[in-house]
Amino acid sequence: MAKRKVGVWLIGAWGGVATTVVVGLAALRKGLSDTTGLVTALPSFAKLDLIGWDELVVGGHEIRETSYAAEAQVLVDKSHVFNEKTLAGISSQLAKFDRNIKPGTLVNVGAKIESLAGPECLKLKKETAAQAVSRLTKDIEKFKTAEKLDRVIVVNVSSTEPPPPDEVREWKWAEVQKSLASKSCPLPASTLYAIAAMQSGSHFVNFTPSVGSDLPGLDELALKQNVLHVGRDGKTGETLMKAVLAPMFAARNLKVMSWVGHNIFGNLDGKVLDDPVNKANKVKSKDHLLTEILGYKPQTLVSIEYIESMGDWKTAWDHIHFQGFLGTPMVLQFTWQGCDSLLAAPLVIDLIRLTEREARRGTSGIMSHLASFFKSPMGTDEPAFAYQFQQLTQWVDRVSGESDE
């Protein structure tokens, strides 16, 4: 079988999650890591003929000025992750991928994210939304041509941006186009990246709480361009636990009276989320799940606090106050401690592989069967993790059946 060549274009390319994705791909390619944490490495996915590690080429957009080696070292120094021997073994590959990183856009990113931008990106600060989309689109097209790629998967793993005006979320494609032509376009940067991806004929995955392609107009564009898209907000830790535990309370008819979740972490995303405007998007994404699963709204509180000394490590403490038989109040508590980027990166790799596989089927639009990867999944109303994962396994069976024919 002829070797495939697929591009992975990362938005927020030198961030913690993206760096971990790239380190992971390079390590897997060299046989320096096993596949623990990868859903697509489960035996049931073996028949899918998923894209291999040596068939992926990395590029991306980034507003800061650094490198994969430098950011990997930050994760080593502050969070004590990665094996130094592994990093030494993949240094040339990281440097090669660095050459494909281009300046991102600062249009409607908010003051907190803009403060992180390097000199090259600041030179582009005055570009309009339309100019940004045109430039970003050309970057992806040039990447595809230069690397002789079969297709490109664009993945947004950038910091959470402030939410746009409410009306934007309802816009059809005609309204999006009209806004792009104006000088005061309110479309957030994540949506501009999504438009650029689709206009370049690439598929789009939004791993962040930002809006991205989650509006009617972008689904229209995806169908028009015959590309796939999916999102939002990767489900890696505390919310994953909620998606598993809340159905248990519902199934046992135990009334959840309150659910409090406190989250502390110290990476760059945490620094951005320390701004209340940016935090609003993330809190909403983490908090809506319980009402959808339980069928009623208990008292809830979600807090996210930036504690610099913790680096990429995240601790979530949840206190669940519920009512049992004869009105008896009871409590369940859990603590989740994990390295944020190391939890997220394998899921990003899974999404790249699964999106690429679906692209080979020639479909377009929202990939609702990937809901189990997201806190606010597009294209489905099913919030419970077990049922979401069942949708994925049904897709695997269907695609495997097509391969056997």
Side-chain angles (χ1 to χ4, degrees), residues 14 26 32 71 232 253 272 277 279 315 372 381 394 401:
W14 282 322
L32 298 173
E71 291 305 303
R232 300 160 43 204
N253 197 21
V272 170
V277 178
K279 188 184 292 187
T315 295
S372 62
D381 295 324
Q394 288 171 348

Side-chain angles (χ1 to χ4, degrees), residues 167-392:
E167 64 269 17
V168 170
R169 297 176 184 271
E170 304 301 321
W171 279 0
K172 301 284 192 340
W173 178 235
E175 293 168 296
V176 171
Q177 287 179 296
K178 183 179 178 181
S179 179
L180 281 172
S182 70
K183 291 183 178 180
S184 56
C185 174
L187 290 169
S190 62
T191 300
L192 303 183
Y193 285 120
I195 294 170
M198 292 177 183
Q199 288 190 163
S200 73
S202 305
H203 311 284
F204 183 75
V205 177
N206 182 16
F207 203 73
T208 80
S210 303
V211 174
S213 63
D214 193 12
L215 59 160
L218 271 288
D219 196 39
E220 286 181 57
L221 180 60
L223 295 172
K224 178 183 175 184
Q225 294 292 106
N226 194 33
V227 297
L228 298 158
H229 65 128
V230 72
R232 300 160 43 204
D233 201 3
K235 187 160 57 188
T236 58
E238 184 206 25
T239 310
L240 175 63
M241 291 294 291
K242 284 182 178 178
V244 172
L245 288 174
M248 176 194 72
F249 287 104
R252 288 299 173 91
N253 197 21
L254 296 169
K255 183 181 179 182
V256 176
M257 297 181 290
S258 63
W259 194 312
V260 177
H262 292 295
N263 300 263
I264 54 174
F265 58 119
N267 59 16
L268 186 61
D269 197 35
K271 187 175 183 179
V272 170
L273 291 173
D274 203 34
D275 188 308
V277 178
N278 298 67
K279 188 184 292 187
N281 248 351
K282 188 73 173 182
V283 169
K284 183 177 180 181
S285 182
K286 290 174 73 67
D287 195 40
H288 70 90
L289 193 72
L290 293 176
T291 302
E292 294 174 9
I293 292 175
L294 297 172
Y296 57 90
K297 182 166 177 53
Q299 183 180 359
T300 60
L301 174 66
V302 176
S303 69
I304 303 172
E305 302 301 333
Y306 175 60
I307 307 297
E308 186 177 3
S309 66
M310 294 187 67
D312 204 58
W313 288 88
K314 177 188 286 186
T315 295
W317 171 75
D318 279 46
H319 181 281
I320 306 156
H321 197 201
F322 65 98
Q323 187 182 77
F325 192 48
L326 299 176
T328 308
M330 306 181 198
V331 171
L332 169 65
Q333 299 182 53
F334 70 83
T335 303
W336 175 281
Q337 293 179 304
C339 193
D340 208 32
S341 295
L342 274 294
L343 288 167
L347 302 185
V348 172
I349 295 172
D350 285 329
L351 287 163
I352 291 165
R353 300 181 85 196
L354 294 169
T355 299
E356 194 281 331
R357 183 63 184 88
E358 183 67 2
R360 269 185 269 151
R361 300 179 71 217
T363 61
S364 60
I366 299 171
M367 294 179 286
S368 58
H369 60 279
L370 299 181
S372 62
F373 291 94
F374 299 100
K375 294 184 183 74
S376 303
M378 296 161 52
T380 178
D381 295 324
E382 178 50 67
F385 178 76
Y387 293 108
Q388 291 175 340
F389 192 72
Q390 189 176 55
Q391 291 175 338
L392 178 59

